[in-house]
Amino acid sequence: MAAAWQDVVRDAAAVREAAAVAVDAALLAGVLMRTGEQPNASDVVNYAPFTLLPSAVPRALFEQAYAVQQDFNLLVDAVSQNKEFLEQTLASTIKVDDFTAQLFRIYKQVLEEGLAQTVFLGINRSDYMFDCGLEGAAALRQIEINTIAASFGGLTSRTADVHRLVLNVLGKSEEASQLLPNNPAKGLALGIAKAWELYGSQRAVVMFLVEEVQRNIFDQRCVENELWNRNIRVVRKRFRDVFEQGSLDASRRLYMDGQEVAVVYYREGYVPQVYDEQNWEARLLLERSRAVKCPDIATQLAGTKKVQQELSRPGTLEKLLPGHPEAITRIRATFAGLYSLDEGEEGDRIAATAIADPDRFVLKPQREGGGNNLYGEELREVLEKIKDSPERTSYILMDKIKPQPALNYLLRAHSPLQVSECISELGIFGVYVRQGRELVLNQAAGHLLRTKAIEHADGGVAAGVAVLDTPFLV
């Protein structure tokens, strides 16, 4: 926490007053979620959880994260186009991980049939923590890159205004004026709009593919409204709607209920639980279509943990991004230590090291959505159980990052107001659009800061662990 807040954190009366103002400001600004009790009804809502105070972020690391985002966009796009790399990298994973295997089967089927899609849209979010390690100087370390359904670009567009008001109420107007403007919703919509335009049909709609349970609808509406403001029609459908209403014509244009679909923007489809036989059929129909998928299935595979681990191997980036030595240097500077648990001598050695010293590592399965990673004793127990089985190849091992905690208040509905030791995670949104071989858009689209109490090892905002935050650059 910046020294600027030390006087505030211990002033109980000032904190109580500021928290009351903050909650009303969040409701007023639209920093909203539906409730757990009525997740599909908007007549009862509450504020999305957020920090009372913006959290200190080292300016140099913040700027580094922005500077490398276009490079990561290039890299994700390159991986998605490299069939040989995806096949080799995921060969061991698809033997033991049914979900990745099923995605891969669809990927191969669509390639064999020949891609109907000619415009490609990537919306990703690269997540980082600030590792203080042994030397004490903080370093930017990438946790993961999300290539499907990267959320909170909408709500975080509104959170800085709340923190600006809180700082003003606390008599810190100079600091309030230093908070950066941030509007990922606009940047994400720009990418979707560009893909819609290149698809080339004014009558076609953008389809948000959404969950059955839609607590986080307002985050999506922020992006959706940006599209409506551009006179682009948006429909919201679930996998089962696609199964029941979706069809392809002779040139593989996608129709939903008779409406042509130009862009399919996935806010669903990243966890195995949502797929039954019908939903897999719906996914295949979407992938076979000419519509711009965000992401297409190759780009979803490019976001797997196994690919992340493989990218950190010496020489891999050079093969994927020939002629981009500076981009490679910037990307590599953000990597944490990543280790393969594939069968063989190297995997045996890594597994043994982690079992002997579990607090050094994080064990990551091939899953998105937060709350899946394993730490400490739990990591040791799982590895002990699977160390001699092929199942261990469905995980990767990563160095545990050690950020510097800071004091803050996490504001949650129906929760007591109490100070917590917290750590933060910075996400940078990236958007790119490719038509055929030509990259026509490639940019960073804004940032997301999420903060959680140090007793929670894993989990994001939607998982109920982290809260929304705003960076205060120091």
Side-chain angles (χ1 to χ4, degrees):
M1 176 65 66
W5 317 151
Q6 296 295 27
D7 53 334
V8 174
V9 175
R10 302 294 183 193
D11 184 339
V15 163
R16 270 197 309 277
E17 184 194 350
V21 169
V23 166
D24 286 346
L27 291 163
L28 201 58
V31 184
L32 300 171
M33 286 181 88
R34 287 172 170 172
T35 63
E37 297 73 40
Q38 292 185 278
N40 286 333
S42 289
D43 51 355
V44 183
V45 298
N46 218 318
Y47 62 92
F50 66 102
T51 57
L52 176 63
L53 296 155
S55 291
V57 167
R59 182 183 296 274
L61 302 190
F62 182 83
E63 288 170 355
Q64 181 189 354
Y66 260 96
V68 74
Q69 186 55 44
Q70 286 174 296
D71 305 323
F72 272 115
N73 292 347
L74 266 184
L75 180 60
V76 169
D77 189 43
V79 171
S80 76
Q81 295 177 75
N82 195 319
K83 177 171 173 275
E84 186 187 11
F85 175 76
L86 283 173
E87 278 187 331
Q88 285 176 355
T89 300
L90 296 172
S92 58
T93 306
I94 60 180
K95 286 179 188 160
V96 291
D97 186 286
D98 290 342
F99 178 57
T100 310
Q102 185 63 34
L103 290 171
F104 198 80
R105 274 195 286 277
I106 293 178
Y107 164 66
K108 286 195 73 170
Q109 184 176 337
V110 170
L111 277 187
E112 281 160 18
E113 187 180 5
L115 289 183
Q117 184 177 341
T118 57
V119 177
F120 296 83
L121 166 63
I123 290 178
N124 59 55
R125 196 188 67 226
S126 188
D127 291 338
Y128 305 91
M129 290 180 92
F130 313 115
D131 188 15
C132 291
L134 302 171
E135 291 80 40
L140 189 73
R141 289 288 171 259
Q142 189 185 51
I143 306 297
E144 63 182 354
I145 192 153
N146 304 275
T147 62
I148 180 168
S151 58
F152 289 104
L155 296 190
T156 197
S157 301
R158 291 151 186 245
T159 312
D161 286 343
V162 177
H163 282 126
R164 210 170 276 117
L165 179 64
V166 167
L167 291 182
N168 279 323
V169 166
L170 291 167
K172 302 200 174 287
S173 53
E174 191 185 330
E175 290 87 342
S177 70
Q178 292 166 29
L179 295 183
L180 298 173
N182 181 37
N183 195 346
K186 205 175 187 109
L188 305 191
L190 176 76
I192 295 171
K194 187 70 184 167
W196 174 85
E197 177 198 315
L198 292 172
Y199 178 85
S201 171
Q202 293 290 312
R203 291 186 316 280
V205 300
V206 170
M207 179 170 86
F208 280 43
L209 192 87
V210 298
E211 298 147 305
E212 293 285 342
V213 174
Q214 299 176 45
R215 271 199 76 195
N216 200 19
I217 191 168
F218 301 108
D219 181 54
Q220 298 167 18
R221 292 286 196 205
C222 294
V223 180
E224 200 179 310
N225 289 354
E226 292 279 352
L227 294 168
W228 282 109
N229 290 341
R230 294 166 178 263
N231 296 321
I232 297 172
R233 293 186 62 76
V234 178
V235 297
R236 297 175 65 83
K237 301 288 182 184
R238 300 156 303 184
F239 270 125
R240 62 174 148 133
D241 300 319
V242 175
F243 181 79
E244 289 163 7
Q245 305 160 14
S247 63
L248 305 185
D249 71 6
S251 53
R252 287 197 268 164
R253 286 187 175 83
L254 173 66
Y255 288 88
M256 285 293 294
D257 250 359
Q259 285 186 299
E260 187 177 357
V261 177
V263 179
V264 178
Y265 173 43
Y266 285 97
R267 290 298 294 251
E268 169 71 303
Y270 50 89
V271 290
Q273 298 88 289
V274 309
Y275 288 98
D276 54 18
E277 202 176 329
Q278 279 194 355
N279 289 1
W280 279 120
E281 279 194 44
R283 183 70 193 262
L284 176 60
L285 179 87
L286 296 174
E287 292 301 322
R288 291 184 61 237
S289 78
R290 194 187 144 199
V292 182
K293 273 77 67 183
C294 179
D296 66 317
I297 211 153
T299 306
Q300 183 171 350
L301 290 169
T304 51
K305 304 294 183 289
K306 184 61 188 170
V307 166
Q308 183 189 7
Q309 177 257 307
E310 196 60 32
L311 292 174
S312 70
R313 280 190 191 274
T316 302
L317 293 179
E318 285 76 4
K319 283 182 196 149
L320 289 162
L321 293 176
H324 292 278
E326 286 150 350
I328 288 166
T329 302
R330 285 189 293 266
I331 289 169
R332 199 164 271 142
T334 70
F335 284 165
L338 291 151
Y339 312 98
S340 166
L341 290 168
D342 282 358
E343 291 181 281
E345 213 173 295
E346 182 194 2
D348 292 346
R349 192 180 71 251
I350 294 297
T353 306
I355 288 165
D357 193 358
D359 289 329
R360 268 183 56 200
F361 301 101
V362 182
L363 189 64
K364 295 185 155 198
Q366 308 294 329
R367 294 288 174 270
E368 297 299 326
N372 302 301
N373 298 336
L374 300 167
Y375 301 80
E377 272 313 303
E378 206 180 355
L379 177 154
R380 191 205 303 265
E381 281 167 30
V382 169
L383 264 189
E384 282 277 13
K385 200 166 84 185
I386 63 170
K387 67 173 195 260
D388 300 319
S389 130
E391 195 193 331
R392 79 176 192 206
T393 63
S394 66
Y395 293 85
I396 66 160
L397 202 65
M398 180 172 159
D399 282 341
K400 190 175 177 186
I401 292 165
K402 297 186 167 61
Q404 182 69 48
L407 296 178
N408 209 331
Y409 289 82
L410 308 182
L411 303 182
R412 284 194 179 88
H414 318 300
S415 291
L417 185 64
Q418 59 190 50
V419 73
S420 300
E421 270 199 281
C422 302
I423 54 174
S424 298
E425 190 170 313
L426 174 69
I428 308 292
F429 289 96
V431 178
Y432 64 87
V433 178
R434 173 167 53 83
Q435 186 171 33
R437 289 271 170 209
E438 187 198 354
L439 212 56
V440 292
L441 178 74
N442 179 12
Q443 61 186 44
H447 55 268
L448 167 70
L449 193 70
R450 290 166 299 169
T451 293
K452 60 191 172 192
I454 55 171
E455 60 265 25
H456 296 293
D458 190 29
V461 180
V465 173
V467 307
L468 299 168
D469 199 346
T470 301
F472 179 73
L473 301 188
V474 295

